[in-house]
Amino acid sequence: MRSLLIRSIIKSPVTIDGPAADEHAVKELVAKLDNAARRVLGRSLSIREVDAGSCNGCELEIHALNNPVYDLERFGLRFVASPRHADVLLVTGPVTKNMRVALERTWNATPDPKWVVALGDCACSGGVFAGSYACAGAVSEVVPVDLTIPGCPPRPIEILKGLLTLIDAASRTGAAKGAGR
Amino acid sequence: MAEPRRKTTIQGSPRRHIDAKAWIERSAALGRGEGELMALFADTDCVHMVVRAAGDKELEQLTVAVEGGRYPSVGNRHAPAIRLERAIRDLFGYEPDGLGDVRPWLDHGAWERAAPLSGGKRAAVKQKDYAFLPVEGEGLHQIPVGPVHAGIIEPGHFRFTANGEAVVRLEQRLGYVHKGIEGLMAGATLDRATTLVGRVSGDSTVAYAYAFAHAIEAALEIEPPARAVHIRALMAEIERLANHLGDFGAICNDASFVLIHAHCGILREEVLAAADFCFGHRMMRDCIVPGGLTVDLSKDGATRIRALVEELAPRFRELVALYDGTPSLLDRTVTTGVVAPELARRFAPGGYVGRAAGRNFDVRRDLAYAPYDTLSFKVPIYHAGDVDARLRVRIDEIEASLSLILQILDSLPRSKIEAVIAPANEAREGMALVEGFRGDVLVWVRLAVDGTIARCHPRDPSWFQWPLLEAAVENNIVADFPLCNKSFNCSYSGHDL
């Protein structure tokens, strides 16, 4: 174990550079958020992941964000165990009807101000499961969505880009008071 | 319903109709340990059972008619069928005669109509609160967990009854991610069905597409080109490698040994990046289709995979040595979450859950399909049935996959990668079993005359693994549940369908 640790210290890091935030999406988000929300959130976000019916492909790539290559926490982003500790709900899946109530309750348990990110094609639009008797469809059918990250599943680097867009929007000031909800 | 032509599948003899009496006898025989139940599912007015006799090279397909909405229960004679029969009742409304458990399983009362696959318009029935099994005794308390868990995992509900720290009973309640995939399959074109089947369980997207392609090819009597046959196996081994590496790390992480987790995360990432480079998708989704492949392996791709195997192998072995040389870690995994060999024999769980508890079965060897019949690999068998044994099966299988990948690259034939799929202009059936990383994935299809899917049933290996997790956790401390759960790594999505 000692040699493994020492080599890890000496070698250059495996962590890759973070992507730039999506400028267009940042502007859109800034318009949505009010200053109060931005002050609270600053450049650090706690994320609660909610699988609302995904095939687990998106979860695998969300997991990858925590590995040393993407190292999510260096950006001030971290996953938390309870919605009560979260600023952001990161929701995947075509919201199955059997998960609808659980998603609503999780949203209600998340303190304001909060954001919802729909991750993956299913969460964005219902994806290939749209129209099923067992699915409610896009996450926006159930709770208000602030940002979408499409893909099946999106690559970790694309998820990272989407999340960085969020903190970028949160740290900018001077925009008109947001639309609120 | 016109009886479809029953094509002999890759791994099975033609399906046989039997009467209720013979069905009951077969169920009782399963209960006595004669043969293993591989699948149980409904079709219009009938129920199919797939059985494997021990040591047999073929699967047996049996069908019983549903009369007056009822058929004889298998579950009251052979426990592994109970959840499958509860699912059939929820989806088709067919009543298993004699099954004691009348609780719904997949239907949580949230759908607009009951029995959604029956074709009828039955109104949904308002459901009472789910009745968990009663637990009585002094000093017991219950811990409800889920469906939304603390980690980044799929949703399901676990009801623990504990006496102090020790789990007295775990009862699972699943079905939260039921997406109605079988409903979407009915009437789907082949293309659409291929897309859907690749999303039954995301971590096994290759295995599902692989089994589906085999089932369709068996039904339509099509031979995929030799190069496609080899590249499919290559993808399956890369998928196994990536998932087992992820699990190796995650199991150690749940025992609070983060170092192995961090390094496994890097190795897994390298595997996925190589898959992305070669096939344009990190999980190789939508690459395998009936008839062949949508993407070929380039020369650069082959070189990249060879380099990956060479660089990864020594680093992986170093992590195995670290696992073996860390007593505080072994203390958490050895004798934790034991699956009794007797239960493994009864439930016939696939993959590492079975092979860690003495079930000597691997589809690639025992119901072999090309190209595995020409490749050499060992199937690891352990008998302890604990978290450690399930981890060691994975470790051995990573070694086997590394060797298989090189063998496949060495013997990669040159040919086109896709055969023409021509509709048969008559009803057809096909079934196939493929060894995914988690265990055997079974896909059964019935094609309509116009070539669309009339009925498709993908059966995840988790069906026969989930119930054993309930048994394995008993008498362990609550804090070891995540460790036990991760060592099973069952699919919620594949099970809930």
Side-chain angles (χ1 to χ4, degrees):
Chain A
M1 176 156 66
R2 208 176 300 147
S3 68
L4 195 64
L5 287 172
I6 291 170
R7 250 182 297 135
S8 301
I9 293 169
I10 297 169
K11 262 179 35 184
S12 58
V14 293
T15 312
I16 57 170
D17 288 339
D22 183 340
E23 228 6 77
H24 177 71
V26 170
K27 279 188 189 137
E28 237 181 68
L29 272 173
V30 166
K32 270 192 190 174
L33 296 168
D34 60 30
N35 284 322
R38 243 177 270 126
R39 259 200 314 279
V40 170
L41 298 169
R43 284 201 69 88
S44 171
L45 294 178
S46 294
I47 306 169
R48 172 64 250 183
E49 198 266 348
V50 183
D51 175 339
S54 118
C55 73
N56 77 31
C58 288
E59 277 61 37
L60 292 174
E61 296 297 49
I62 295 170
H63 264 293
L65 292 179
N66 276 328
N67 74 27
V69 177
Y70 299 105
D71 187 20
L72 186 72
E73 296 208 4
R74 70 187 144 139
F75 300 107
L77 298 163
R78 64 192 187 106
F79 288 102
V80 292
S82 166
R84 297 194 195 282
H85 306 156
D87 309 306
V88 176
L89 291 183
L90 183 63
V91 189
T92 63
V95 193
T96 59
K97 292 192 176 158
N98 288 352
M99 270 305 286
R100 188 187 182 123
V101 171
L103 176 59
E104 286 167 351
R105 284 187 190 169
T106 307
W107 190 82
N108 285 328
T110 310
D112 283 321
K114 58 191 162 197
W115 292 335
V116 176
V117 179
L119 180 103
D121 287 348
C122 294
C124 293
S125 69
V128 299
F129 304 110
S132 168
Y133 66 85
C135 296
V139 173
S140 58
E141 301 282 324
V142 182
V143 294
V145 168
D146 299 286
L147 178 74
T148 56
I149 305 176
C152 188
R155 291 181 173 85
I157 200 80
E158 290 154 7
I159 304 176
L160 203 51
K161 192 172 179 173
L163 295 177
L164 291 181
T165 303
L166 265 188
I167 41 177
D168 225 49
S171 61
R172 286 189 199 183
T173 51
K177 282 225 162 183
R181 302 192 238 282
Chain B
M1 181 177 72
E3 198 48 32
R5 181 165 154 206
R6 291 186 216 127
K7 165 77 183 71
T8 302
T9 64
I10 291 183
Q11 290 134 323
S13 50
R15 184 163 61 78
R16 283 192 298 127
H17 276 277
I18 56 175
D19 60 16
K21 191 163 163 270
W23 179 269
I24 291 170
E25 274 167 20
R26 196 70 194 85
S27 308
L30 281 171
R32 288 193 302 271
E34 296 165 25
E36 299 172 333
L37 181 70
M38 301 297 281
L40 184 71
F41 54 97
D43 200 343
T44 312
D45 298 325
C46 59
V47 175
H48 306 308
M49 161 158 66
V50 182
V51 181
R52 174 178 168 262
D56 212 339
K57 290 279 175 203
E58 277 196 334
L59 297 173
E60 197 184 357
Q61 298 185 66
L62 302 169
T63 300
V64 72
V66 171
E67 283 166 19
R70 313 178 79 84
Y71 68 99
S73 167
V74 181
N76 68 345
R77 293 170 182 89
H78 185 57
I82 293 174
R83 287 182 179 177
L84 291 157
E85 291 188 334
R86 290 167 69 188
I88 290 173
R89 179 167 46 206
D90 287 352
L91 298 177
F92 282 84
Y94 301 154
E95 191 60 36
D97 241 342
L99 184 69
D101 198 335
V102 296
R103 297 172 300 170
W105 183 239
L106 299 177
D107 186 351
H108 292 195
W111 309 335
E112 270 147 41
R113 56 199 163 98
L117 301 189
S118 65
K121 294 255 182 282
R122 279 190 229 191
V125 186
K126 180 102 178 107
Q127 288 187 13
K128 286 185 236 140
D129 283 347
Y130 189 78
F132 286 94
L133 299 175
V135 190
E136 287 171 24
E138 215 169 305
L140 299 181
H141 63 284
Q142 290 206 326
I143 310 169
V145 178
V148 178
H149 297 290
I152 302 167
I153 61 169
E154 299 179 75
H157 183 88
F158 299 116
R159 183 65 59 99
F160 296 94
T161 304
N163 188 344
E165 278 202 308
V167 177
V168 176
R169 169 180 272 164
L170 161 64
E171 190 180 354
Q172 299 153 353
R173 192 195 181 193
L174 303 175
Y176 289 94
V177 286
H178 176 77
K179 291 180 270 292
I181 292 176
E182 288 170 296
L184 292 170
M185 283 279 192
T189 61
L190 218 48
D191 284 352
R192 162 100 169 124
T194 308
T195 308
L196 282 167
V197 89
R199 285 152 181 81
V200 170
S201 182
D203 50 16
S204 305
T205 180
V206 169
Y208 271 95
Y210 202 169
F212 181 75
H214 273 182
I216 295 290
E217 286 155 11
L220 296 176
E221 298 174 297
I222 291 168
E223 282 282 336
R227 187 173 177 83
V229 167
H230 279 72
I231 294 178
R232 283 174 177 180
L234 180 71
M235 291 174 173
E237 295 311 319
I238 293 173
E239 182 174 86
R240 192 179 332 276
L241 184 62
N243 281 307
H244 279 354
L245 281 170
D247 283 356
F248 179 21
I251 292 168
C252 294
N253 190 46
D254 277 343
S256 305
F257 199 79
V258 186
L259 184 60
I260 290 180
H261 179 55
H263 282 273
C264 280
I266 297 169
L267 297 185
R268 179 183 152 87
E269 189 59 34
E270 287 173 14
V271 175
L272 297 184
D276 199 7
F277 175 82
C278 294
F279 304 114
H281 194 285
R282 285 161 56 89
M283 292 164 193
M284 299 165 285
R285 190 166 258 177
D286 302 327
C287 293
I288 297 177
V289 293
L293 301 166
T294 56
V295 52
D296 200 355
L297 179 68
S298 67
K299 219 178 228 172
D300 288 350
T303 310
R304 171 92 181 242
I305 294 176
R306 269 184 203 283
L308 171 80
V309 170
E310 272 163 33
E311 285 167 23
L312 192 141
R315 289 152 71 199
F316 162 69
R317 284 170 201 144
E318 195 176 1
L319 297 177
V320 176
L322 182 56
Y323 173 74
D324 271 326
T326 309
S328 60
L329 179 54
L330 294 172
D331 184 51
R332 293 289 307 279
T333 59
V334 177
T335 71
T336 304
V338 174
V339 173
E342 162 58 18
L343 279 181
R345 195 191 54 68
R346 268 172 72 195
F347 279 76
Y352 40 76
V353 175
R355 289 195 278 276
R359 184 175 181 244
N360 195 350
F361 175 70
D362 187 310
V363 189
R364 294 172 296 171
R365 182 196 62 194
D366 300 311
L367 298 165
Y369 43 95
Y372 290 102
D373 48 352
T374 61
L375 303 172
S376 125
F377 60 101
K378 268 199 195 138
V379 177
I381 301 296
Y382 290 82
H383 296 275
D386 55 4
V387 173
D388 175 66
R390 287 186 284 279
L391 186 50
R392 286 184 193 280
V393 170
R394 288 177 170 98
I395 287 171
D396 293 354
E397 288 185 2
I398 289 173
E399 286 287 358
S401 289
L402 291 172
S403 155
L404 281 167
I405 288 170
L406 293 180
Q407 289 178 49
I408 294 166
L409 289 175
D410 286 340
S411 60
L412 198 58
R414 276 189 214 182
S415 73
K416 56 190 176 101
I417 54 161
E418 203 169 4
V420 178
I421 292 276
N425 296 320
E426 59 174 358
R428 291 282 181 97
E429 272 179 31
M431 181 181 74
L433 201 62
V434 155
E435 187 73 30
F437 90 96
R438 181 177 282 118
D440 46 289
V441 170
L442 183 145
V443 172
W444 187 93
V445 286
R446 180 163 61 83
L447 295 173
V449 178
D450 63 1
T452 58
I453 306 286
R455 170 95 177 95
C456 176
H457 176 70
R459 194 275 293 139
D460 197 87
S462 305
W463 277 100
F464 301 117
Q465 297 171 337
W466 273 122
L468 296 183
L469 178 61
E470 288 186 350
V473 169
E474 216 173 285
N475 294 325
N476 283 261
I477 57 172
V478 177
D480 271 346
F481 174 71
L483 187 59
C484 297
N485 192 24
K486 195 68 222 176
S487 74
F488 272 69
N489 191 15
C490 297
S491 174
Y492 299 68
S493 182
H495 167 281
D496 294 353
L497 218 52

